[in-house]
Structures are given as structure tokens and as C-alpha cells.
Amino acid sequence: MISEEIKKSLRRAVGAENVLDSDIDRFGYSYDSSSMPILPAYKPDVVVLPTTAEEVSKVMAIAFAHGIPVTPRGAASNRTGGSVPLEGGIVLSLDRMTKILELDEDNMMVTTEPGVRTIDLYNYCAAKGLFFPPDPASWKVSTIGGNIAENAGGMRAVKYGVVSDYVMALEVVLADGTILNTGGKAIKNVTGYDLKHLFTGSEGTLGIITKATLKLIPMPKQRGTLQIMFKSLDAACATIQKMLQENIVPAAAEVMDKTSLDIVSKKRKVILDPVIESCAIIEIDGEDQDALDAQAKRIEAVASALGAVNFQVAQSQSESDELWAMRRGLSQAVAALAPNRIGEDIAVPRGSFPEVVRRIKKLGEKYDLTIVVYGHAGDGNLHPTVLCDYTDAELMERVHKAIDGIFEAALAVGGTLSGEHGIGISKKPYIVQALGQAGVETMKVIKQALDPKGILNPGKIW
Amino acid sequence: MLTNKSEELLREAEQIVAQCERCGNCLTACPLFKVVNIERVGPRGKNILTRALAQGGVEPDSKALDVVNFCLLCRSCVEACPSKLKTDAAMVNVRQYLMDKAGGPGIKYKTLGSVMKSRNVVKMAAGMLAVLRKTGLNCLVPYGMAPEEYTREQLPGASSGPAAFGKQAAPAEIELTAASKVAYFYGCGMRMMFPEAAAQTVEILKSVTRPMLKDNHCCGLPHLGHGLRGDFLELAKKNIALFEDADVVVSDCASCSGTLKHIAEYFADDAEWKDRAAAFSRKVMDLSEYLVKAGYRPRQRVEARLTYHDSCHLGRGQGVKTQPRELLKAAGNFVEMTDADTCCGGAGSFHMDYPDIAAKILASKRGNIEKTGADVVVASCPVCLVQMTKAAEASGGKFKAMHISQVI
């Protein structure tokens, strides 16, 4: 419990209106968008909503002096429990730090506060013809600080990478309140340890990101969408592999399995040819329509050589939206099938994508569960989703065994536990298996050095 | 008093919110969350609170009631939700549950409910407001609830609450014929605050049909929204009986038409009233919906630049978006405003319960109206019109506010 005296100092640090401690407010900051049950609730003792780095620094100094746990949070849209305050203490919500500080068009970089929503940052840069590519599915709601802390990805990762590929500089408040600046606008910035990348993806366990400078690239002038249907999942995956080998790099390459297709077509009242077993939705971009046409032609050649049964190029924005709607509608369509679902996020070498999907399907049969598989085949990131019901203990036991199996399958082919959602709480049990004892111990040494009292987002990652 | 019915309402609400994935897409759409970004204010917070209430993790006390009361019921979140989760319906249920638990609504809503329940008191209140307006004392009525009227006669010179329902009420599929018996539903808000606009509605209806004028009862929305479900059902039955001989019931208040179109759902399990309620709901139409179907052409065309504010209950609540615009395009120089369908902060009694917050929401609406350069902002709901009038005053006369019946 935090004493009234400490709450008073927190109120002095950030203003009384930015400190919440009613029971209902504490409950409101006890959950995130992960599959964790909401009860029993991990209520923080107090919620603090700072608006400047200096305020964050003051809050951390207070927390450090009294050994109070601090769980940083953006929009709490993350899927692995990263912003659940497991040990109470302070929830530090950064979603009121919403200023975009500078758009440096010469250097093609943007500097922003952490509470800016990702889509707002994207649109702000796009208005100047500049492109911030990471596009997590949650980009309408998630904050850029959260994206950096989780090292988020998105559909365009196959061509453009993940958030860490764009982080140039960070301002971070350390556990004791020290404000650290690391990185800069120089492209070749190799002096000392690469701290900016250490904090990127650190899930709030090493410091609080209060400012970020991000690299931008020119906005592609044209975008196009293709939909290709296949008789097998292997053919869809092979097509994407072959495209990449032939240096045709799509901006996004999504694959849906038969179960996913059945769900979406049912929901959208579309009847699919029964021979169709999988579908690839591909986004291409380029300088002009000719470049797009040329790419589409080459992709069609690859796909038909590998047995595609249908190849469709969107002729307009609305047709493109229609094609993407199939993919985007998936999560929602899946959610409607069962009282609850657990969506996982594994990443495997691209070549192993079909093998892992096969293993996951077998797990579904073994444990008599519906497991839907879809994902970013272009970068080997899969989202197997297990349908379940939290109130059915027997079913949940099978669900957890299946999830263990999913992670085993990913690791067995040289993959990893997370492609874009982080580890948080939900994947802790698998971390040693994924990183090895030495890997985890090394990270713990870093954690100990930066957060000697263990107050930053305790209970996460391991 | 806590009955099995109120427990059942909480269970129904729990079933609705069980589909909440906590993704947060609703947060960016919620007008209240934009003004007060605290988790409990956003739809996600309210959904999860409902779950915790049902599962016994949060106390069902006055603080929980404050949370569910602080909602515009504007359905913006429903539209933004990937699962189209009906947070508004859940909130109405939880309000009823918590108020039952507390022994009924507080004195404020009980009084409001009693006023709206009695035809005579509504008429008296309307009379009093009319006197105040004539004597120029209307400024003494708080929250702009007795607005200065800007009438149709003044228009040619002008060139210079909320839906409480689970789903959108589909636009009526009534076949209109010359023999259709059309009745006008006189809403309390229109009667008390905009009698001149209501008179214009009747005049317009007279130009296309022979409207039946009935001394109807309140639609019951204020009761439903404030934990007086019993009163709502009672009023609904009276109105169902009263309009049994009409083929079409036309309302010029978005909240009334939205409520009336949904009445059937509340009697689905009532053997006696089920069919009568369904027949009633089917014949309800919004004014513009009716007029477009009846082939009405506006009485005048003015040079004034007109813009339109979509009332939540009409646009999102009933899907009636194109008809008012069609009529306005024929009546003047129509110009679309940004975020025309964002709630104005009126939302029934919300603007009286939380005037500061409502003012903040209205400020951005005013900005959007001003950007259009419109002479007149048009609305189809009395509470929206109260808000629009406040915005017009705040703009220092850059534009005026009018009900659609006064413009067409």
C-alpha cells in the first residue's frame, strides 16, 4: 500500500487532477487487451497520468526512494499482459503525452511524445509525403510509446521491418528518475553500446520512454492489392517464398488457412470454391502504376506456376478495401465463435511456416479444439487463435496444453515466442526455452544494473 | 427494490459485454473519452466494469452508477467496435440494475420522470416556457432549455439523448399510399422547447396528407435512460393503444422516433402486447424519412448556406442520413460539415447533468459548423437543437440553429 504521504508527493509532482486512487479507477487500470481474466483484479494503488518527462522523472524518483512498483502504460492495447500491474504500486499512464514535437523533413525524421496514437503519427507524416511503415493491427488505438516498448510489427513488416528498424533516438526516464538521452539523428551513430535498441522492446522493464525520434522513408506513390487462392496452404507459402527469392518484395503478404477462410466466408456470406484451401492477400507498392503492373504480372507468373486457382488484382480502392476486409474481418469473425479466445503470436523462419501450421492443426485434433491459423506469412509471423471458454476448467486445461504445444512447435523449427506482441506475462514460462539460460541471465544482469530495486514493471518477461 | 428482473438485466448486460476483447478501438470514437481520457470514462472501461459487477469484483454502489450514467448513449463506440458490441444497451441495463439496487433513481430523475409521464404537466411546462420566451425571461431557464427561437419566417433573410437501444432501428419499410392514415407524434421536447418547429411539421404534413393529431404520451426514453423502466413500459402501452388506428406514425424528434421504433423489442416476451407493439414499431417514421418517401418538395428555396448535424438517434440510431440531406439540398445551399455525426453533447439530460463536459464537446462541433461558413445549422432533435442554439450564441451570430421542419 502507498501511504497518503506518498500520494501527496505524487500529486505535487503531476497535479492532483492527474492522480487517481478511487477503487473504480484502480480497477480501470488493472487490465489490458490480453486474454488474462479480469478477476481477481491486479489493482494498482494509484494511477498517475503525467504530461511531461520532468513529471515522469519526479514520479520515478518518488517510486525509487520508496521502492514502489511502477507499471508504465499507453493505451493498454497490448496482448500479453505487459501493462497489468501485477504487484500493485503505481500505474504510470503516458497517454496524455500526445505532442508530435518535430517533423524534420530534411533528415526525414519525426520526434514525438509517447502517447501519440500510431495512426495519428502515420497520418501526420503521410500529409508531408513521408512514411512511417510499422502498422500493428491495433494502430488506431495503440500509442507509439507502447509500440516502441513492445517492438511492435504489423502487416508491412515483410518489406519494411518492425518498429526497432525506425528508432533513431530515445529519451528514457530511468528507474531512479534520471533522464537519459540515447541515439540521435546521425545515420551512422555507433559510439558505445546501442542503448536505444536495448530499450526498444524492453516492455517497460528498463525505463520509461518519454520521447522518440523515428526514421521515416518516402511514401510509396502507388499501392495495389492482390488476392490469390490456392488448393493448399503449402502452395500459398511457396508462392510467397518464391516471390521473395526472385526479389519481388511485397509490402504485406498475409496467408489464411482453410478454417479462417470458412469463418470469413460464412460471416461475409460468400461461397468459396470447395477446392480452395488457402488464400494469400498481398500488398505491393511502387513509384507508379507501371511498376505495380509489372510486379503483379511477375507475381501472377510465380503463383500460377505453383498452382494458384484464382488470381485477382483490385481495380479500385474499394475493391482493395474489399479484399483486405476479408483479412481484417478475421479477428472479429473468430471472436464471435466462442465465449473467449486466446490469440498467440509466434514467429518462425519463413520456410517453416507450412510445417508449423501443420503441427498446430495436429494439436487442434489432439486436444479436440478449434485453432484458427492466420498470419503474416511474408515474415513468418503467425497468430494461432485457440477458441475457448474461461468458465470450463476441463476445456481450459486442454487449451493450455495446446498452447504449450504451439510454442514448442515454434521453437522446434528455430522460431521464437513473439513476433510483435512481446512476452509480458503470458509467455513467461517459455522464455528460458526460447532464449536459453545464458540469454535470460544476461538480460537479468542488465535489468539489475538499470533497475536495482526491481520496481519497473515487475513480474514481466521472466 | 431489487427484483429478479433487475438481476436479469445485469445478466443480459454481462452477455453483451462478454464479447469485449478490450482492444480499445472504441476509445478513439468516444466523445467523452476525448474530453476526459480516464479508462472508466471510455466504453472499454464501462464494459469491463459491467463484467466485474456481474462477477462480483466491483461494488454495485453509487460510484458504479456514476460511471454508467456518464455516457451519452450515442453509439459511436458500437460503430467503432469490430464486434459491434452494444455498450449503449448494456449501460441502460446496468443503470436500471444499479438504480433498483439503490431503491430507485434519485429525486432528480424521479421528478423528471414524473413530469414527462404526465401529459398535463408536459403541457403546463410548455406553456410556462412559452410565456418566458415571450417575456424575454427565457435566459433564466438554465442549460439553454428555453432557447430563443429562430423561425422559418426569418429564414429567407438568412443568407446573411440519447438512443438507449441495442441495435440500429432499420428505416421503416412502410408502403405509402394516398389512403395511408398518417399520425403526428408530438414529442415532449418539441412541445416544450420548439412549438413553432412542431407547428411547421404539422403544416408540412398537411401539405401532403391529412395528419391525425393525437394527444400522445411521452415516448419514454427519459424513463428508460434513468432507471424508470416500469414507467417506460406503461407509457409505451398507452401510445401503442392510442395509435392503433394509424398506418404511419411520424415524429420530428430523433429520440422519439428512435425509441418508438424499438418498442417491439421490449414486449417480445409479453404474449398480450407482443404483436401490438411490433405493429406499432413498424409504422414509425422520422419526418424526413416520411417526406422523402411521400415525394415532398420543400416549400421554398433560400440562398442561405445550410449544414446538417446528424442526431445520434437518427443517423447511427436509425440509419436515416441521406433523407434530411436530400431535403436540405433542395431547400438551400447545402454544405457538409466535418464530423457531422459526432454527438453534440446534448444527449437527453446529459448536458444538464454535466454542463462543463457537454460544453467542451459542443465547442468542437461549433468549430466544425463555423468552418463550413453555414448560415444555418439544421438538426432533427430538440436536445441537439438546444445545443446547436448554444453553439450559435457562442459563435456570436455567425450562424443560426433551426429544426429541419422550419427549413424545408
Side-chain angles (χ1 to χ4, degrees):
Chain A
M1 282 299 285
I2 295 182
S3 70
E4 277 309 312
E5 202 50 45
I6 295 173
K7 284 188 196 169
K8 258 188 214 161
S9 25
L10 289 170
R11 289 193 178 97
R12 268 197 303 274
V14 300
E17 70 282 10
N18 296 319
V19 175
L20 313 172
D21 65 348
S22 72
D23 194 53
I24 277 192
D25 277 327
R26 295 193 301 116
F27 175 73
Y29 290 81
S30 68
Y31 52 80
D32 62 9
S33 188
S34 62
S35 311
M36 279 177 73
I38 54 162
L39 295 174
Y42 293 102
K43 285 187 259 189
D45 296 303
V46 62
V47 180
V48 181
L49 304 123
T51 47
T52 64
E54 287 66 34
E55 286 180 1
V56 174
S57 162
K58 284 182 197 164
V59 172
M60 287 314 301
I62 295 166
F64 189 75
H66 299 279
I68 301 167
V70 177
T71 304
R73 177 188 191 271
S77 58
N78 82 79
R79 309 276 307 157
T80 53
S83 41
V84 173
L86 278 188
E87 295 183 15
I90 297 171
V91 158
L92 192 65
S93 184
L94 297 142
D95 64 345
R96 292 189 176 178
M97 295 181 66
T98 54
K99 288 193 280 291
I100 297 174
L101 301 166
E102 184 204 35
L103 181 69
D104 179 347
E105 290 184 67
D106 289 343
N107 285 307
M108 294 204 290
M109 283 177 207
V110 65
T111 301
T112 179
E113 289 187 341
V116 174
R117 291 185 195 276
T118 311
I119 197 161
D120 292 339
L121 187 77
Y122 169 88
N123 286 333
Y124 179 85
C125 299
K128 297 279 185 185
L130 292 166
F131 184 26
F132 178 66
D135 63 339
S138 62
W139 72 339
K140 271 191 195 166
V141 56
S142 61
T143 61
I144 193 68
N147 283 185
I148 297 168
E150 298 292 318
N151 199 358
M155 298 203 194
R156 298 187 186 119
V158 56
K159 182 165 182 176
Y160 296 107
V162 294
V163 168
S164 60
D165 295 314
Y166 297 86
V167 175
M168 295 298 295
L170 292 178
E171 177 187 78
V172 179
V173 176
L174 300 178
D176 64 356
T178 305
I179 299 179
L180 163 86
N181 277 286
T182 175
K185 287 183 181 175
I187 303 285
K188 288 186 167 177
N189 192 333
V190 296
T191 310
Y193 293 168
D194 189 356
L195 295 184
K196 65 179 187 292
H197 280 143
L198 182 61
F199 289 106
T200 305
S202 67
E203 304 192 29
T205 62
L206 298 181
I208 316 281
I209 297 159
T210 49
K211 191 163 80 179
T213 298
L214 303 161
K215 183 171 74 176
L216 306 170
I217 56 177
M219 183 65 82
K221 294 197 173 61
Q222 295 283 337
R223 287 209 174 107
T225 306
L226 319 172
Q227 177 190 266
I228 319 172
M229 299 292 191
F230 297 91
K231 281 187 204 162
S232 70
L233 184 69
D234 283 2
C237 295
T239 297
I240 291 167
Q241 311 267 37
K242 185 83 179 143
M243 279 165 57
L244 293 165
Q245 283 162 1
E246 294 194 4
N247 202 21
I248 315 164
V249 186
E254 299 289 303
V255 162
M256 293 193 271
D257 73 347
K258 177 84 168 107
T259 322
S260 313
L261 281 174
D262 286 345
I263 292 167
V264 179
S265 26
K266 204 168 167 191
K267 172 108 181 160
R268 296 171 60 80
K269 299 189 175 69
V270 183
I271 296 166
L272 284 182
D273 184 335
V275 303
I276 292 169
E277 288 277 332
S278 82
C279 164
I281 298 179
I282 292 170
E283 182 178 285
I284 48 177
D285 59 16
E287 268 302 291
D288 51 35
Q289 194 56 46
D290 288 348
L292 256 52
D293 291 345
Q295 276 187 70
K297 214 170 185 175
R298 289 177 64 200
I299 294 171
E300 187 173 11
V302 170
S304 51
L306 289 163
V309 289
N310 183 287
F311 183 89
Q312 198 184 338
V313 183
Q315 298 300 323
S316 63
Q317 187 57 46
S318 64
E319 270 186 46
S320 161
D321 292 345
E322 181 68 17
L323 291 181
W324 279 107
M326 251 180 117
R327 167 65 181 90
R328 290 190 207 281
L330 194 54
S331 173
Q332 165 200 351
V334 171
L337 291 180
N340 307 99
R341 61 171 174 144
I342 297 182
E344 275 310 340
D345 159 48
I346 52 172
V348 300
R350 268 197 300 254
S352 306
F353 196 98
E355 167 63 17
V356 171
V357 173
R358 271 195 293 275
R359 286 186 187 216
I360 292 170
K361 290 283 166 196
K362 280 200 187 116
L363 288 167
E365 286 163 24
K366 183 174 171 190
Y367 295 108
D368 191 22
L369 297 165
T370 305
I371 307 180
V372 187
V373 184
Y374 52 95
H376 319 303
D379 53 38
N381 187 189
L382 288 86
H383 296 307
T385 301
V386 190
L387 301 183
C388 56
D389 180 351
Y390 291 162
T391 60
D392 184 339
E394 185 276 326
L395 170 78
M396 290 311 290
E397 207 183 312
R398 282 185 280 131
V399 168
H400 289 301
K401 281 185 184 153
I403 289 174
D404 288 351
I406 290 171
F407 290 134
E408 269 167 31
L411 297 174
V413 297
T416 185
L417 299 180
S418 172
E420 52 191 9
H421 294 174
I423 300 302
I425 301 166
S426 59
K427 298 182 198 174
K428 275 163 55 170
Y430 312 95
I431 191 79
V432 174
Q433 218 180 329
L435 300 178
Q437 198 64 45
V440 173
E441 290 309 323
T442 306
M443 287 189 186
K444 283 186 176 172
V445 169
I446 295 170
K447 164 80 174 170
Q448 175 65 26
L450 285 171
D451 180 18
K453 292 188 177 178
I455 60 171
L456 278 166
N457 209 2
K460 308 300 160 64
I461 304 183
W462 47 70
Chain B
M1 192 181 57
L2 205 62
T3 60
N4 285 341
K5 185 67 197 168
S6 14
E7 291 289 353
E8 204 182 294
L9 290 171
L10 181 64
R11 297 293 151 219
E12 271 177 27
E14 188 192 12
Q15 277 183 3
I16 296 172
V17 301
Q19 285 291 314
C20 177
E21 287 277 311
R22 306 177 237 173
C23 67
N25 275 294
C26 55
L27 300 179
T28 52
C30 175
L32 290 182
F33 190 76
K34 273 186 195 134
V35 179
V36 187
N37 66 335
I38 294 176
E39 181 70 17
R40 79 173 130 80
V41 172
R44 176 174 70 181
K46 288 173 172 137
N47 289 338
I48 304 305
L49 179 79
T50 301
R51 261 164 85 171
L53 274 170
Q55 293 173 23
V58 163
E59 285 303 307
D61 55 15
S62 64
K63 286 184 180 133
L65 182 60
D66 288 344
V67 171
V68 293
N69 271 340
F70 192 65
C71 172
L72 300 160
L73 302 175
C74 71
R75 295 177 57 90
S76 302
C77 54
V78 182
E79 206 164 80
C81 174
S83 304
K84 300 285 172 268
L85 189 142
K86 301 157 193 165
T87 301
D88 58 331
M91 288 308 103
V92 170
N93 278 15
V94 180
R95 282 180 187 184
Q96 183 74 49
Y97 165 77
L98 290 172
M99 284 192 194
D100 288 349
K101 191 124 188 139
I107 186 79
K108 181 169 70 177
Y109 294 136
K110 269 189 188 150
T111 311
L112 181 78
S114 308
V115 170
M116 308 292 266
K117 222 177 127 181
S118 158
R119 277 187 283 196
N120 290 333
V121 180
V122 167
K123 278 187 219 167
M124 257 169 54
M128 271 163 52
L129 291 179
V131 172
L132 289 175
R133 230 180 250 124
K134 279 196 185 107
T135 50
L137 292 174
N138 56 319
C139 56
L140 298 178
V141 180
Y143 312 117
M145 289 297 277
E148 200 93 53
E149 273 249 341
Y150 180 56
T151 65
R152 189 170 87 86
E153 284 67 36
Q154 292 167 293
L155 177 64
S159 304
S160 51
F165 303 104
K167 63 179 182 208
Q168 191 181 74
E173 286 176 13
I174 309 163
E175 285 303 320
L176 292 180
T177 67
S180 297
K181 282 184 276 178
V182 178
Y184 171 54
F185 189 90
Y186 199 172
C188 308
M190 294 303 288
R191 196 191 290 258
M192 292 193 282
M193 297 176 294
F194 298 98
E196 294 88 345
Q200 291 302 323
T201 300
V202 174
E203 200 173 294
I204 291 172
L205 289 176
K206 279 182 177 163
S207 74
V208 281
T209 184
R210 286 171 56 195
M212 298 155 72
L213 301 176
K214 293 184 178 267
D215 201 4
N216 61 262
H217 300 264
C218 173
C219 69
L221 178 60
H223 308 83
L224 194 57
H226 295 303
L228 294 161
R229 195 182 160 96
D231 290 348
F232 162 75
L233 296 172
E234 207 181 298
L235 289 162
K237 285 180 188 170
K238 287 183 183 169
N239 280 323
I240 292 168
L242 191 63
F243 286 95
E244 231 139 31
D245 59 340
D247 301 318
V248 181
V249 177
V250 175
S251 163
D252 54 358
C253 165
S255 299
C256 294
S257 54
T259 309
L260 300 175
K261 281 182 184 182
H262 277 284
I263 275 179
E265 292 160 27
Y266 291 85
F267 291 97
D269 298 328
D270 187 325
E272 192 192 336
W273 286 89
K274 187 181 166 192
D275 294 340
R276 292 171 78 183
F280 175 77
S281 279
R282 270 198 302 272
K283 54 193 175 190
V284 178
M285 293 178 96
D286 164 66
L287 177 67
S288 61
E289 197 181 355
Y290 169 75
L291 292 177
V292 167
K293 215 162 198 177
Y296 173 81
R297 299 293 302 163
R299 293 165 282 179
Q300 60 194 1
R301 186 177 165 85
V302 291
E303 286 311 306
R305 190 185 275 236
L306 310 173
T307 193
Y308 181 69
H309 160 71
D310 288 283
S311 299
C312 300
H313 293 170
L314 196 57
R316 261 186 307 281
Q318 301 174 48
V320 176
K321 297 172 188 173
T322 54
Q323 296 93 328
R325 287 176 169 78
E326 203 176 304
L327 293 165
L328 291 177
K329 279 174 189 163
N333 299 316
F334 179 75
V335 48
E336 187 68 45
M337 76 162 108
T338 310
D339 293 336
D341 66 350
T342 303
C343 180
C344 61
S349 59
F350 184 92
H351 68 115
M352 295 185 269
D353 296 342
Y354 308 97
D356 298 344
I357 304 292
K360 281 186 187 161
I361 295 174
L362 184 60
S364 78
K365 180 64 67 174
R366 172 165 68 90
N368 288 335
I369 300 169
E370 285 175 358
K371 270 183 231 152
T372 63
D375 304 301
V376 180
V377 60
V378 178
S380 301
C381 162
V383 176
C384 295
L385 207 46
V386 165
Q387 290 291 91
M388 294 303 123
T389 307
K390 281 188 235 170
E393 278 163 20
S395 79
K398 283 192 192 122
F399 61 90
K400 299 280 188 184
M402 292 181 88
H403 187 269
I404 191 161
S405 68
Q406 298 173 294
V407 180
I408 52 170

